[in-house]
Amino acid sequence: MAPLAEALASAAALVARVAAGRSLSAELQRVAEEGAESTSAERGALADLCYGTLRRYGRSQAIVAALSRRAGASDPLVEALLWCAFYALESGRYADYTVVDQATRACASIRPGAKGYVNALLRGFLRARPTLNTRLAADSVAHHQHPGWWIERARAAYPAAWQQVLAAGNMHPPMCLRVNARRITTDAYALRLAAEGIQAHRIGALALLLEKPVPVDRLPGFAVGEVSVQDSGAQRAAGLLDLRAGQRVLDACAAPGGKSAHILETADVALTCIDIDAARCADVARNLARLGLAAEVLTADCSQLGAWTEGAAYDRILADVPCSASGVARRHPDIKWLRRATDIEAFATRQLRILNALWRALASGGKLLYVTCSVFPEENDAVIDAFAAHMPDARRALLADGGPAQLLPCPEHDGFFFALLEKPA
């Protein structure tokens, strides 16, 4: 089978699994482990088709609904193949006739009986594309490429910016670097990038935004810990904690360890990293080892204090809590497919439970930084307000950098929320 046909067939299988409730990252990891002999180009083509297709939530489904004359339930695998082919057609990476031909060949390998249907639908799309685009623009879900409930929540939360928030969720994410100040200055590292032909510009004290994403093995000094990949929005956390040498610090939901590493690069503190997932704790340990940093890494539920605390309180706590990840949907487009409206309230309940537990582990005079990568107020200000309502000794402090609590996703950074809580001495 030709490379594009093979990639379309493989992508269709993965996208169908995601549509049925599986995680894209887990599926790509499984494929990588099973296909050890695949080339980087093949893996790249597969990832592009999967991510691109899943970012287009609602649009491809609407195209099939508009063009198909089939009655009854459709074959999920054939449907997913069509979605992938529509993305390939609109990506501009391939000639139209190539996509139609290769998608038809892919169908012949996975569902031979549907080959004529796929070919006819793709050709019908090419003929009807101008009028179809006008029709899709009037369909809110197809136009904004997000679930209807997500669109309504964004519109209610950000009357003047909801379309920006949704549009950001459909973009390719930026690639930003965090320079390890213990090893090299930001300006010096920028010069090293330039020498390698990698264009970047500085957008923060330690943040360099690349013009184009590159594989990490192309980054000079990455293997020896001179730099890490971390969104510039996420880089706010360490600076907001007011870290000082000698403090006991807890990163309560630490995986994969980017913020943990930044904490240790910022100050000589005694850091404990906790995550509920043992495999993700291993990721934390590997990331710290690459940077030559050390911390206590524990696999535990941070809301169950008795299972991991030894009694001594922490001077600083970072609570980067589990959330809807609605602020990073462009990095994890399967979120659009996997989340449900009822998940938001469930996350808020869990977030409040974590806050209540961690507050008991915070020393008098200490500070707790609550962080989400969500744009939904129900997980952000509403949780902080609910916590403060029954915890009168908690004081919400101003953020030291003077920035807003809510960062909305934009070309430079993802969407994040930050709230700093202080406990009286």
Side-chain angles (χ1 to χ4, degrees), residues 388-407:
H390 72 266
M391 201 67 69
D393 65 334
R395 186 181 75 85
R396 185 169 179 179
L398 294 175
L399 300 178
D401 63 5
Q406 181 71 66
L407 292 183

Side-chain angles (χ1 to χ4, degrees), residues 140 146-163 165-166 324 326 339-348 374-380 382 408:
S140 181
H146 284 72
W149 65 266
W150 191 316
I151 295 170
E152 291 311 309
R153 283 181 186 258
R155 192 197 302 263
Y158 309 103
W162 66 276
Q163 294 186 73
V165 171
L166 297 174
S324 64
S326 50
R339 292 283 180 264
R340 300 292 181 266
T342 53
D343 293 341
I344 309 307
E345 285 67 32
F347 275 120
S374 173
V375 297
F376 297 137
E378 295 88 344
E379 300 180 87
N380 298 335
L408 296 180

Side-chain angles (χ1 to χ4, degrees), residues 235-364:
Q235 293 184 38
R236 287 185 78 192
L240 296 176
L241 278 167
D242 184 26
L243 298 166
R244 300 171 192 172
Q247 288 175 333
R248 295 189 78 244
V249 180
L250 172 67
D251 187 349
C253 306
K259 296 182 183 70
S260 303
H262 195 187
I263 287 170
L264 291 169
E265 291 170 4
T266 301
D268 293 318
V269 301
L271 179 65
T272 298
C273 302
I274 292 178
D275 200 88
I276 199 169
D277 187 321
R280 286 169 60 77
C281 281
D283 291 339
V284 175
R286 279 192 293 271
N287 283 329
L288 294 180
R290 178 181 64 82
L291 293 159
L293 302 170
E296 180 183 29
V297 181
L298 303 174
T299 301
D301 182 345
C302 67
S303 67
Q304 303 297 319
L305 292 189
W308 57 270
T309 52
E310 298 178 351
Y314 293 90
D315 303 300
R316 299 289 185 269
I317 295 178
L318 172 60
D320 187 1
V321 297
C323 70
S324 64
S326 50
V328 295
R330 59 190 175 187
R331 296 188 189 277
H332 306 283
D334 51 338
I335 287 169
K336 299 180 189 180
W337 302 71
L338 303 178
R339 292 283 180 264
R340 300 292 181 266
T342 53
D343 293 341
I344 309 307
E345 285 67 32
F347 275 120
T349 298
R350 185 180 182 189
Q351 291 154 356
L352 187 57
R353 184 171 70 248
I354 290 172
L355 264 182
N356 287 332
L358 293 179
W359 193 250
R360 302 201 304 274
L362 184 65
S364 297

Side-chain angles (χ1 to χ4, degrees), residues 38-179:
S38 62
T39 66
S40 60
E42 290 168 341
R43 292 191 295 272
L46 177 61
D48 174 66
L49 285 169
C50 290
Y51 277 93
T53 298
L54 293 171
R55 284 194 186 101
R56 295 156 53 86
Y57 178 98
R59 179 176 174 82
S60 295
Q61 296 95 314
I63 293 172
V64 174
L67 296 176
S68 178
R69 293 179 174 83
R70 283 191 170 185
S74 61
D75 183 325
L77 187 56
V78 173
E79 187 102 348
L81 175 60
L82 285 166
W83 300 341
C84 294
F86 289 139
Y87 164 67
L89 284 169
E90 296 194 307
S91 70
R93 289 181 171 82
Y94 315 97
D96 290 350
Y97 70 87
T98 299
V99 175
V100 174
D101 174 69
Q102 296 294 291
T104 304
R105 291 173 184 267
C107 189
S109 72
I110 57 176
R111 290 289 191 271
K115 186 172 67 169
Y117 169 69
V118 167
N119 184 281
L121 212 69
L122 293 177
R123 291 182 182 279
F125 168 71
L126 293 175
R127 288 193 300 270
R129 182 152 44 181
T131 55
L132 196 55
N133 282 335
T134 302
R135 184 170 163 185
L136 294 178
D139 180 329
S140 181
V141 171
H143 178 66
H144 294 295
Q145 300 175 64
H146 284 72
W149 65 266
W150 191 316
I151 295 170
E152 291 311 309
R153 283 181 186 258
R155 192 197 302 263
Y158 309 103
W162 66 276
Q163 294 186 73
Q164 167 202 325
V165 171
L166 297 174
N170 300 327
M171 295 176 179
H172 285 273
M175 184 174 181
C176 188
L177 308 181
R178 185 191 74 242
V179 176

